[in-house]
Amino acid sequence: MIEKATVNQIVEEWLADKDYFLVETVVHPDNRIVVEIDHAEGVWIEDCVGLSRYIESKLNREEEDFELEVGSAGIGQPFKVLQQYYNHIGCEVEVLLRSGQKLSGVLSQADEQQITLTVEKKIKPEGAKRPQVVEVEETFAYDDIKYTKYLISFK
């Protein structure tokens, strides 16, 4: 079986002088290799083809046959690496907490430990007759998050 570390090393070589980053590599027991890359401005098909050819040039099908799939991380898919959070700061995202609570808001900050989300909440100020919608910043540790994904809006 082809080792995941070997594929990752080949991918990192190709990525060295590019603005792309590796999101995920999966090597299935039947040697089906799936590589996902991403870029702040999107992934071009030509670059997927280039990476695919580069990987194929570094692996020997005579020694061990394999199936290779190279693609982008997918716009509606959950974030898998920290760089995806950084790239979506200022964008509307959906967060599902491990508690089951689902939130939508603007990703305002992200670092290695946590994210900050700006969400709208109805709060009734003291002495007011009706609740008002206000923006509130809430911070969540990654351990508390089941998934975060870019929220596609057709407004």
Side-chain angles (χ1 to χ4, degrees):
M1 188 168 121
I2 296 171
E3 296 294 321
K4 180 178 177 177
T6 303
V7 177
N8 282 344
Q9 181 180 352
I10 294 168
V11 173
E12 291 298 339
E13 288 171 11
W14 186 84
L15 294 173
D17 60 344
K18 297 170 183 64
D19 290 332
Y20 283 96
F21 58 93
L22 178 62
V23 173
E24 185 175 40
T25 301
V26 178
V27 180
H28 297 275
D30 61 352
N31 272 348
R32 186 169 65 90
I33 304 166
V34 180
V35 176
E36 290 184 356
I37 57 172
D38 206 351
H39 186 282
E41 297 172 11
V43 176
W44 297 98
I45 188 72
E46 295 84 6
D47 292 321
C48 291
V49 170
L51 175 56
S52 179
R53 288 183 178 152
Y54 187 79
I55 294 169
E56 286 190 22
S57 75
K58 299 290 186 173
L59 297 175
N60 187 347
R61 286 188 190 272
E62 300 298 321
E63 288 179 18
E64 200 164 8
D65 196 22
F66 60 90
E67 177 185 340
L68 178 61
E69 178 183 326
V70 175
S72 67
I75 196 162
Q77 298 300 311
F79 298 168
K80 297 176 183 170
V81 295
L82 188 57
Q83 187 63 43
Q84 291 176 297
Y85 284 91
Y86 292 151
N87 289 350
H88 288 89
I89 289 176
C91 297
E92 196 166 352
V93 296
E94 177 181 281
V95 176
L96 177 63
L97 301 176
R98 296 207 182 277
S99 67
Q101 182 183 12
K102 190 182 279 189
L103 302 164
S104 296
V106 175
L107 180 61
S108 53
Q109 292 180 5
D111 61 30
E112 289 81 13
Q113 288 81 35
Q114 62 194 18
I115 65 168
T116 301
L117 199 63
T118 304
V119 296
E120 290 184 349
K121 285 192 167 186
K122 285 185 178 181
I123 296 177
K124 185 176 176 185
E126 196 172 313
K129 292 185 179 185
R130 295 192 173 126
Q132 297 176 348
V133 176
V134 295
E135 288 188 345
V136 178
E137 287 197 343
E138 295 190 15
T139 302
F140 304 99
Y142 293 110
D143 290 343
D144 297 331
I145 298 171
K146 190 168 186 179
Y147 72 72
T148 302
K149 59 185 178 180
Y150 177 70
L151 192 60
I152 301 169
S153 177
F154 297 101
K155 292 179 183 176

